Structures are given as C-alpha cells and as structure tokens.
Amino acid sequence: MGTVVYQGTREDVTGQMVLIWDQVKAPVVVPLLRVATLLCLIMSVMLFVEKVSLAVVIVLVKLFGRRPEKRYRWEPLREDLELGNSAFPMVLVQIPMYNEKEVYKLSIGAACGLSWPSDRIIVQVLDDSTDPVIKNLVDMECQRWASKGINIKYEVRDNRNGYKAGALREGMKHNYVKDCDFVAIFDADFQPNPDFLSRTLPFLVHNREVALIQARWKFVNANECLMTRMQEMSLDYHFTVEQEVGSSMYAFFGFNGTAGVWRISALNEAGGWKDRTTVEDMDLAVRASLKGWKFVYLSDLKVKNELPSTFKAYRYQQHRWSCGPANLFRKMFMEIVRNKKVSALKKVHVIYNFFLVRKIVAHIVTFVFYCVVIPATVLVPEVGIPKWGCVYIPSIITLLNAVGTPRSLHLLVFWILFENVMSLHRTKATFIGLLEARRANEWIVTEKLGDALKTKAASKASRNPRIRIGDRLHVLELGMGAFLFFCGCYDWAFGKNLYFIYLFLQAFAFFVVGFGYIGTFMPHS
C-alpha cells in the first residue's frame, strides 16, 4: 500500500513538472531562447567577419612582404671610433618575479648573457618573493653574476602592492634608471637569445615614433601534454595573425607583458605602469597608442618560455587574461572615444575589433551559443537555428584559427572541445570584469614548473600516482557536462537534427576536465 502511494506521489510530481514546463515554455522560454539565438547569431557574424578580415590581411602581408625592416628604418648599431660604447643606448632589463624557485636561474642567466656592451646595460631583478629561502637563492644568483662583471641590481619591496605593475613601477624609480633610454621586460620563465637587443633596439633608435618592439613567444614545453598542445594552437594564432595584422595595419596591438622593449620616454608619457586592472601590459599599450606612439611586432624573433601545464595554473591565467581586458574596456571606453590624437579608424579598431569582438564577444558567443543555446534548442524544438549559424560559420572560424599551428591540425576536434570548455571560465571572467565584481582584481601568479620539478614530479608519479580526488573535481564543468549529456540523450531519443553527436562529445570533454584528467598531474609529497 505504501509503495503504491509513493509511486503515485512520484508520478504526480513528474506530471506537475511537465505541466509547469508546458505552461512556461510557450510564453517565456521560447521567446527568450529566440532572442538569445538571434543575439548569438549576430555575435557569430561579428566574429566571422573579424576572422575572415584578419585572414585576408595576413595573406596580403605575406604576399607583399610587408616586413618591419621594409616599413621602418633599420640598420645595425655599431661601435663608433670616437664615441666608443656610448654610441649604444643605455638599456635597462627588468625581470619581475614572485617565488620562482624553478625558473629564476633561466631568466637571470639569459638576461646576463645578452650581447650588449657591459657598461651600457643594467639587469634589474625585481623580486616580490615571500619565501625567504627563495629570496636568498635569487640574491645569491645575482651576486654570482655581479662577480662576473655584470651590472645587475637585486631589488625587493616590503609589500606586493600593485603586483607586477607595482614592481615594475617601483623599479623605474631608482636613480640609475634615469640614465637608461629603453627598458626590456622578461617574465621569470622567459629566455631571450643573446642577439635580442641587437635585433630590436635599431627599430627604436632609428624610428623616433616607435614606442614598443614586441617579440614572439616560443613554447619550450608545448609537447608536454595535450593541454599544452591546445594552448599552443590558440597562442600561435594570436601571434601569427592578430599581432602581425595589428602591427602591419594600425601600428597597434596589445603588449604581451614580456619579451618586449619599451622606449622609456613613451612609457612615462603614457602615464607609466598602472595597477587598476590585471592586464597592466594592455593598459599601458592602449594609453601609449592614444598618445600617438607606434608599435612594431617581430614575428621572426622568438623568445623561449613555458606554458602552464597544470589545469589549475591555466585556469587562473585564463581568468586574468579574460577578466582584465573586459575590465579595462569598461574603464577606458570613454577615454578612447574622447581622444583627439589618433584617427577615427584607429579608435574604431581599438574599441570594436581589439576589445569588443576579440576580448568580449569571442568568449561569450563560444560558451553561450555552443554550450547553452544550441543544446537548449534540443529541448525546445520550436526554436530553430539556421545551418549557416551552427555549422558553416563555426567550421570556417575553426579552420582559420588552426592555420597558426599546421602541425596540430589532427588535434582540431580536441581543440574545439577544449576551447568550448575553457569558454565557461572565460565568459564568467569577462562578466566579472565588465561588472567589476568581487574577483575583478584577483591576481594569482601562473605557476611555472621548470625542468627540475617536472623530472621530480614524473619520478614521484611513477612511484605513487595517487592524487586527492577533492583536488581534481570541478563542479561547474561536471554540471555543464550533465546538462549537455541530458540534452544529447533527449536529442537522440526525440530529435531529428543529429545534434546528439556533438552534445555527447562536448559532454565528454566537460567530464574529462571536470574530473581533472587534463594537464600535468602534480602528485602530493
């Protein structure tokens, strides 16, 4: 008797839920989903036009050979018989770091190995480390290079105000910096080749209107795991296409925060380093551009560095890289509009192409359209999506993105699924930045493992592969995976458009990330 009552109650609840769904669907859900679909289609077209225009420009740049050496005056700097080494400009090399136990030797060694007259270069290590053991190691490394005749300065602060921007700003206040004309910046895991300065500084010396020279990144651990391969594909597109087009067409692009050289007078004229967002590099670049300064990108000058190989480190990095630009856009929109020093075309490029489409629309449409709206139309068949919106445009955009890394074309499907998963975090971070919510100014330094720690981790993992389950579970990804799996099952049972193939694959990708089976596993000691 009790069992019958229970079944009846369960059937009643199910029936009531179905009834409520039917009552709400037509007047509320269908109109809202139609509006969301229309907005997503508009954003898809915006992104499509941007990607195609970038592709056209990059092809023209390659065809006509618009190399920086042809667009700007460039000739090597040589020692003058009368002036001696003073013919070379004075250069400051800044290396900001924070508890970089595994990589500090790499960047300091590379900076001290730069081919430049020893009396015309100052290496400045800006150490914000909180671990006294690491601070001592970095200090000893600086002393070791100083004993070899290198002009190296070890600078520490009693606080971390402003994080990296604060450290760079404080570093510029020292008296010896007044003698410097240019400043090169390298993060703790970056290793420039000895000829870095001799290849970049001639552009700044011979072209007074140029403020910044940006080099390309070369990833030393791209083959470490599938996640680093995915990152390489995304970043290679950024460097191969976005930076190249920005440099060739507008003499403007976002400074990547490292592997670049600034004209100190331009940096000061733009207002110096500000810590109002987590993208102090982009902030400085936009302000300098609004002062009329030009930037040059050197695609054939590569600086070795390390990609984050743990999912935790990558997720924090992507939060900062997505939240910061959105927050900066909020803060600088009117400043850009009111600016009178640059052309209307450049303002449109910065506001629409650089910020709106690439930093906001790209993240939002990827998650909302492919992970929410398309799956939702399976449950609400009254709302249809044209084939050009859900098949043709995404396919073309994906192929254009893949051009930057031809060697990884066979990983295209994995890259699509992984990027859709990461769009969850990027979209959330974008809205946090736009609304200036609680985590808008969160700064967590991207963990670098270095070769030594990776070797140690591998030996530990072979002996003891156990990793705490709680450290690997990601609730948001698991929730999205469950939603997509449910939509896939519903489409398989009742649908007619074969969406379930994509939905099951995407659900699987969310589950893989949700259970922590991606990136390098760092076992506990």
Side-chain angles (χ1 to χ4, degrees):
M1 186 69 179
T3 307
V4 174
V5 172
Y6 174 75
Q7 288 179 340
T9 303
R10 185 173 60 186
E11 288 170 3
D12 288 344
V13 171
T14 305
Q16 286 176 354
M17 289 176 67
V18 171
L19 186 62
I20 292 170
W21 171 249
D22 288 338
Q23 289 177 338
V24 169
K25 187 167 75 167
V28 179
V29 177
V30 172
L32 284 175
L33 193 54
R34 280 189 178 139
V35 170
T37 302
L38 177 62
L39 291 174
C40 286
L41 288 172
I42 292 170
M43 288 192 288
S44 292
V45 171
M46 291 167 65
L47 190 59
F48 173 75
V49 171
E50 169 73 2
K51 295 290 185 183
V52 171
S53 62
L54 286 173
V56 170
V57 172
I58 201 67
V59 168
L60 293 174
V61 167
K62 298 299 181 185
L63 282 176
F64 291 100
R66 281 178 58 83
R67 294 173 58 80
E69 290 83 356
K70 291 185 177 181
R71 289 182 287 117
Y72 298 93
R73 187 183 167 204
W74 191 96
E75 56 185 65
L77 299 174
R78 295 186 177 91
E79 186 177 338
D80 189 280
L81 291 175
E82 294 182 6
L83 299 175
N85 285 346
S86 59
F88 291 86
M90 194 74 182
V91 182
L92 176 71
V93 178
Q94 289 186 314
I95 309 173
M97 56 177 61
Y98 173 75
N99 292 339
E100 307 287 4
K101 182 179 179 181
E102 303 302 329
V103 294
Y104 72 93
K105 283 187 178 181
L106 298 176
S107 54
I108 294 174
C112 293
L114 289 168
S115 298
W116 203 251
S118 58
D119 59 334
R120 306 299 290 168
I121 185 172
I122 303 171
V123 177
Q124 186 187 62
V125 178
L126 304 167
D127 191 9
D128 273 1
S129 298
T130 52
D131 187 329
V133 174
I134 297 175
K135 288 177 81 168
N136 187 51
L137 289 172
V138 176
D139 189 14
M140 287 172 60
E141 182 69 7
C142 292
Q143 290 178 31
R144 188 172 74 84
W145 282 103
S147 67
K148 295 182 178 182
I150 301 295
N151 188 358
I152 185 168
K153 310 288 185 181
Y154 177 67
E155 307 290 358
V156 296
R157 302 189 291 165
D158 57 4
N159 60 69
R160 286 193 68 215
N161 295 342
Y163 302 108
K164 180 181 174 181
L168 293 169
R169 185 171 58 234
E170 289 299 313
M172 297 298 292
K173 292 179 181 179
H174 295 281
N175 285 329
Y176 55 81
V177 175
K178 294 175 183 176
D179 299 324
C180 299
D181 304 298
F182 306 105
V183 55
I185 301 165
F186 301 103
D187 282 351
D189 59 316
F190 277 71
Q191 306 162 56
N193 287 330
D195 65 348
F196 181 88
L197 294 178
S198 59
R199 293 179 65 180
T200 54
L201 286 175
F203 285 103
L204 292 162
V205 171
H206 299 309
N207 302 276
R208 294 292 178 183
E209 74 279 16
V210 174
L212 166 68
I213 307 297
Q214 173 70 61
R216 182 172 176 165
W217 297 2
K218 180 182 179 181
F219 313 111
V220 296
N221 64 330
N223 293 322
E224 186 173 341
C225 61
L226 188 58
M227 192 182 79
T228 52
R229 288 292 292 273
M230 303 296 102
Q231 292 177 66
E232 182 192 37
M233 291 178 73
S234 299
L235 287 168
D236 273 353
Y237 175 82
H238 168 69
F239 284 107
T240 304
V241 179
E242 291 178 347
Q243 298 294 74
E244 187 76 78
V245 170
S247 178
S248 302
M249 290 290 292
Y250 306 98
F252 167 76
F253 48 81
F255 175 44
N256 294 120
T258 178
V261 189
W262 277 94
R263 185 185 300 275
I264 291 178
S265 60
L267 192 154
N268 292 334
E269 187 189 339
W273 294 103
K274 293 186 178 180
D275 55 16
R276 55 181 173 172
T277 69
T278 57
V279 283
E280 73 295 322
D281 43 15
M282 187 182 294
D283 187 348
L284 176 60
V286 174
R287 284 184 280 114
S289 177
L290 294 178
K291 294 288 184 182
W293 290 97
K294 293 182 178 180
F295 305 160
V296 178
Y297 170 65
L298 304 180
S299 60
D300 57 349
L301 178 58
K302 299 177 181 180
V303 180
K304 292 187 288 185
N305 72 298
E306 180 184 319
L307 291 164
S309 56
T310 66
F311 181 64
K312 181 180 179 182
Y314 184 55
R315 197 178 62 195
Y316 282 132
Q317 182 202 66
Q318 291 303 296
H319 173 86
R320 193 171 77 244
W321 285 7
S322 303
C323 177
N327 194 222
L328 182 63
F329 181 58
R330 169 194 170 111
K331 286 179 162 68
M332 290 203 70
F333 177 77
M334 290 311 299
E335 186 180 339
I336 298 168
V337 170
R338 295 190 188 115
N339 184 274
K340 295 179 181 178
K341 282 196 173 183
V342 297
S343 66
L345 178 64
K346 196 165 187 177
K347 282 196 259 188
V348 169
H349 169 68
V350 174
I351 291 173
Y352 179 78
N353 301 84
F354 182 75
F355 275 116
L356 186 62
V357 178
R358 296 183 205 168
K359 309 300 181 187
I360 297 173
V361 165
H363 300 324
I364 293 174
V365 74
T366 304
F367 175 67
V368 176
F369 193 35
Y370 304 122
C371 300
V372 178
V373 170
I374 290 178
T377 59
V378 168
L379 306 177
V380 187
E382 294 90 338
V383 180
I385 301 176
K387 190 170 284 187
W388 60 264
C390 62
V391 177
Y392 300 144
I393 281 182
S395 299
I396 295 171
I397 289 174
T398 300
L399 289 172
L400 291 175
N401 267 297
V403 169
T405 318
R407 79 184 188 99
S408 297
L409 277 173
H410 62 290
L411 299 174
L412 205 53
V413 172
F414 295 102
W415 179 78
I416 295 167
L417 298 174
F418 179 66
E419 283 293 291
N420 287 351
V421 172
M422 289 310 301
S423 70
L424 164 65
H425 294 286
R426 292 175 184 139
T427 301
K428 184 177 73 169
T430 299
F431 280 113
I432 288 173
L434 285 173
L435 301 173
E436 206 156 23
R438 186 170 56 88
R439 289 181 62 200
N441 293 309
E442 178 184 81
W443 182 286
I444 296 175
V445 175
T446 305
E447 179 187 26
K448 292 103 180 174
L449 302 183
D451 293 332
L453 191 55
K454 287 169 193 169
T455 305
K456 185 168 65 178
S459 63
K460 279 188 180 180
S462 62
R463 295 196 311 268
N464 181 16
R466 289 178 298 168
I467 300 171
R468 292 184 209 138
I469 295 296
D471 292 340
R472 282 173 43 176
L473 288 180
H474 306 292
V475 178
L476 282 177
E477 285 87 346
L478 293 174
M480 281 304 305
F483 168 69
L484 291 165
F485 184 75
F486 172 75
C487 292
C489 291
Y490 190 91
D491 189 57
W492 183 56
F494 306 108
K496 299 176 183 177
N497 45 27
L498 302 179
Y499 281 171
F500 67 86
I501 298 172
Y502 159 72
L503 293 171
F504 284 144
L505 284 171
Q506 192 62 68
F508 178 72
F510 270 102
F511 283 136
V512 167
V513 176
F515 284 112
Y517 285 101
I518 191 162
T520 301
F521 299 149
M522 293 306 298
H524 296 277
S525 54

